[in-house]
Amino acid sequence: ADVILINTCAVRRNAEDKVLGELGSLKRLSVQRDDLVIGLCGCMAQEEEMVSTVLEKYRHVNLIFGTHNLHRLPQLLYAVISGQERCVEGVSITRSKVSSSK
């Protein structure tokens, strides 16, 4: 696969732990393939604490977007693929738009 997206739901802490574990296991693939896009999407990707954790500890994840930004997936993928940088876009709990590239 050229793109791996993990679609999440933030119902329980156990689910968050499983997602973080899966993200950790994908690191070896990202080391083997520079062109691999690993993304986190869904409601977990809208939680500010989760986004901060992923940005800090899972540097191989290069795309993060929330449920309200699903329609922008083609543009976000293009931004990551063409720029080879991280792309984060979502709506925080306060409903303010968050968008950045790192």
Side-chain angles (χ1 to χ4, degrees):
D2 293 328
V3 177
I4 299 173
L5 293 177
I6 298 180
N7 190 23
T8 63
C9 180
V11 175
R12 296 186 178 153
R13 178 68 187 166
N14 188 37
E16 290 181 5
D17 292 341
K18 286 182 180 181
V19 166
L20 294 175
E22 188 64 31
L23 289 176
S25 70
L26 291 173
K27 183 175 183 174
R28 67 177 172 76
L29 288 175
S30 70
V31 170
Q32 296 171 356
R33 294 201 35 214
D34 289 340
D35 61 338
L36 178 63
V37 175
I38 299 175
L40 178 69
C41 59
C43 53
M44 255 186 228
Q46 293 178 170
E47 294 182 350
E48 292 177 33
E49 183 178 325
M50 177 61 76
V51 172
S52 295
T53 298
V54 172
L55 289 174
E56 181 182 327
K57 297 182 180 179
Y58 300 87
R59 297 191 185 274
H60 58 284
V61 175
N62 41 15
L63 176 61
I64 303 171
F65 63 96
T67 57
H68 301 297
N69 304 93
L70 181 59
H71 67 284
R72 293 203 10 91
L73 178 57
Q75 293 90 352
L76 297 172
L77 275 175
Y78 180 77
V80 171
I81 292 168
S82 65
Q84 292 296 314
E85 55 188 37
R86 296 173 112 180
C87 187
V88 178
E89 187 168 303
V91 177
S92 71
I93 295 169
T94 60
R95 311 288 283 172
S96 62
K97 184 175 178 182
V98 177
S99 182
S100 69
S101 294
K102 294 187 177 194

